[in-house]
Amino acid sequence: MSAAATGLPEGWGMVIGLEVHCELATETKLFCCCPNSFGDQPNANTCPTCLGLPGSLPVLNERAVELAMRVGRALACDVRRSVFARKNYFYPDQPKVYQVSQYDLPTNEHGHLDLPSGLRVGITRAHIEEDTGKLTHVGGGGRIHDASHSLVDYNRAGVPLVEIVSEADMRSSDQAREYVAELRSILLATGVSDAKMEEGSMRVDANVSVHREGEPWGTRCEIKNLNSLRSLGRAIDHEALRQIDLLDAGDTVRQETRHWDEASGRTGTLRVKEDADDYRYFPEPDLVPLEPSAEDIRRIDAALPVLPAARRAALAGAAGAPTIGAVAIAVERDLDTLALEAITAGADPARVLTHVEHNLAVEGAQRVSAAHLAALVQMETRGELTATQAKATLAEVVATGDDPAAIAKAKGYEAMGADALETLVDGVIAAHPGEWEQFRTGDDKAKGKLTGFFMGKVMQASKGQADGKAATALLRAKASA
Amino acid sequence: MSPVDTARSTAAAVRAGERSARSVVEAHLGAIGERDGELHAFNLVTADAALAHADEIDAQVAAGHDPGPLAGVPIAVKDNLCTAGVPTTCSSKILDGWRPPYDATVVQRLRAAGAVSVGKTNLDEFAMGSSTENSAFGPTRNPHDTSRVPGGSSGGSAAAVAAGFAPLALGSDTGGSIRQPAAFCGIVGAKPTYGAVSRYGLVAFASSLDQIGPFATDVADAALLLEVISGHDPLDSTSIPKPPLSLSSTLQQGVEGLRVGVVKELLDAEGIHPDVASRTRAALEALEGAGAKIEEVSVPAVIYGLSAYYLIAPAEASSNLARYDGVRYGLRVDAPTTGEMYDRTRTAGFGAEVERRIMLGTYALSAGYYDAYYGKAQKVRTLIIRDFEAAYERCDVLLSPTAPTTAFELGAKADPLAMYLNDVCTIPSNLAGHPAISVPFGSGDDGLPVGVQIMAPAMGEATMFRVAAALEGARA
């Protein structure tokens, strides 16, 4: 990875590992029958178990386990015998004052995620745990230490999570963003989570460290709770530069947990490693180990949808090589099947992907039939529609579901024949002899500049009916004649 | 001791309409009123609720309905079992004012069987102790000799049954907390197989060891109560998915041909009083006389049981008791910061023994010590299970003393280690998850009751109760 791609000063590199917490889309919580839902009255969704009342016991939600295993298989993990463990710490966000998680025996281990750019990021583990309650600190700086009092909402306590831990395989904030975006698309495609970063159903912690090229990696810092791709990218870049500044000044980087302040665009210390808790993990005696059978895993695999990477590969295979960005967008918008079918029906791949990328980023785009899209692109290829007309026609197809040929006819779009176009172009040239002379004798730069001028005139004269591409070709042919 | 009717005869009379539940409950409330000031078996007597419930039972009978196998039978419930709307204290100041919003599964099952709860019984705070002296509300005294302890931690329940306050009681047993007080009070007490009785609503001490079980004046009543409370409960993930135990029908089948082993390491254990050892040998002879085959067996790993237990139980307790932090319920001692509030609340709310075990357990689980302590203790547990399995290849049940001595005097065991040694014979069954029962078998030279323990493999309750019934029959 070159220094340029990281945005770091020459000679420096960064390494990033991510921990993503994702709420599972179950009806009920991980260990009780309370609804798993966001935005209700505080403490409405609670019971003795998720309030941790004395004598209450957890009963594992089988659906949550299934979804967690689905995440694991979608990330190519080994799904194995796992044991829940208690993570003990004193803080009021956990009503039991321990969190039930998994420790040395997680459900999913040793997977990977292939990104659209081709980078493969290792997945260390994806384990099941319960979410904590939500604290609101009143008065002071919004932290428990200086608050006058704190309010606690246990609706979120006991909501099932998977925590997906990556290997430190990313070398730039762009790669980290790409990883999170790809992970999110998998969580959505598999129906495991709604993965809404802004609502906190998907939260990212980033571990960042830097080095001078050729030297070992430095001490890492963890940035907690990044809740948008933008914050993730900014926080990582800021943190890497902060560490480089420290090292440049001869200081050392302390291992610590930091938070990202979106407003100031800076990270700040949450706690340093020295006072990190000893969580005293031990196996949760109130639950029995999970022992998925080979049959369970087969069933999970059989129910997995085709994943984004495979969908991208299929579309890219049909569309040809230089379309990676457009292909990724098509899959992201769930329009890859439409594109693939239109291409299979004989439509020009590049034009299909252009429409998907630029003209179908709209509500209802998924209702467009492949036959209609193929027909539209073919009309365009045959010169019966200009690019502008095709765009307008497609908008009508989305809105009405009508046949594109009928729409084009109703709008009065018709092909401007080659002869008519040539007559029109000749007329424009004749009317602007000075510009034509500059165009004809000018270099590429001048030609490029004047193309815009002539095309404007051609479109004006044709009232938008001319095919811009054909007209440009005609101009260039006449200039070199 | 006031002679009491058995639960069986009481339930039969109430079901037949020969006796009203109200009269039964009133008689027992009367006995409580007469003597519980002296004994302090109860933290709370729920007289009004008990009488109202008795009236409901009588109305059911009058309407031709059957209130169930424990119709109108008074029962005392250990005060670490949740009772909806009724204070549940664990004999600790830390739960001051807390009323559970729900009933423990066993409490629901008792009600469904027609039993009438008369109150909540005293215990060592959070069930941590062997004498019921560690109660924040003062000790319970042994009905046989009020200068003596009733044993613990379920001392209140044992004393209540021994004193005739109720024919039945529920206790919980983590390392002997039902069996040892049963032995000290001269009654029957059983710890079922781990998972045979739901723990839902039992305030946890050490989750992997805790089991709820019955106290009764005789083996058949204990069997009846265990039948009522056992059976799968979907609210407890460690509950065994099996129907309720069936014990009563095979109780009188005798021991002809059964193989009974006496555990050498427990009979010879340090601190076993000669009277207790001789009563245990007498029990063996009695069973042999009844047709059982007797042999001495070795279960070598049990000698490490006490050490393993005092790592595992405090470790789990340190986590289970973390929730008493003053934030949501129970005692809170205010302070300027959250951390200080935790400190002050827990310091004020927990007694010395609870504090000691929380500190032991916290240490045992700490980073760097886990493998040496908790990890190693779990390995001992595995060894004990293995050694028991070997013994059960040769024997159907195993026999040992229940406790090393008869009931000791209040204050006699101020040294925690001396107190811990009381559990040497009972702990192995908890570590293995196996059932065990204490049956009274005569008394020592001091005139105080001696209990003999019968142990069985997991889900071996039917055979275990058969042997217990035979021993009880041989006692007369």
Side-chain angles (χ1 to χ4, degrees), chain B residues 341-354:
Chain B
M341 188 275 282
Y342 290 154
D343 287 351
R344 290 191 195 174
T345 299
R346 290 167 68 80
T347 301
F350 289 135
E353 183 60 27
V354 172

Side-chain angles (χ1 to χ4, degrees), chain A residues 52 54-56 58 86 88 278 286, chain B residues 102 199 201 237 319-320 323 367:
Chain A
S56 64
R86 292 189 186 173
N88 296 285
D278 173 1
D286 288 329
Chain B
Y102 69 102
R199 290 183 295 118
S237 306
S319 173
N320 283 328
R323 70 189 66 192

Side-chain angles (χ1 to χ4, degrees), chain A residues 33 47-49 51-60 86 88-98 104 144-145 147 150 152 154 278-288, chain B residues 82 95 98 101-102 194 198-204 207-208 234-238 315-316 318-320 322-325 327-329 337-338 342 346 361-363 365-367 370 374:
Chain A
C33 294
C47 73
T49 293
L51 287 177
L53 293 187
S56 64
L57 292 172
V59 177
L60 185 60
R86 292 189 186 173
N88 296 285
Y89 63 92
F90 277 89
Y91 198 64
D93 65 352
Q94 263 301 344
K96 298 187 294 291
V97 192
Y98 57 80
D104 50 348
I144 197 167
H145 312 291
S150 301
V152 59
Y154 290 123
D278 173 1
Y279 291 120
R280 292 176 284 116
Y281 281 100
F282 74 104
E284 161 60 295
D286 288 329
L287 291 167
V288 294
Chain B
C82 287
L95 276 167
W98 185 60
Y102 69 102
Y194 186 79
S198 168
R199 290 183 295 118
Y200 189 76
L202 166 64
V203 179
S207 310
S208 74
L235 296 179
D236 176 357
S237 306
T238 62
E316 293 181 7
S318 72
S319 173
N320 283 328
R323 70 189 66 192
Y324 308 109
D325 59 2
V327 171
R328 289 159 301 273
Y329 46 78
T337 69
T338 314
Y342 290 154
R346 290 167 68 80
T362 302
Y363 185 77
L365 289 176
S366 296
Y370 181 94
Y374 191 81

Side-chain angles (χ1 to χ4, degrees), chain B residues 34 72 244 382 391:
Chain B
E34 258 172 49
T382 307

Side-chain angles (χ1 to χ4, degrees), chain B residues 73-110:
Chain B
V73 177
I75 186 160
V77 175
K78 190 176 182 180
D79 203 14
N80 61 352
L81 290 164
C82 287
T83 41
V86 176
T88 298
T89 69
C90 296
S91 289
S92 179
K93 284 187 272 186
I94 201 118
L95 276 167
D96 183 42
W98 185 60
R99 289 165 190 255
Y102 69 102
D103 275 330
T105 296
V106 288
V107 170
Q108 280 181 358
R109 288 185 180 180
L110 286 178

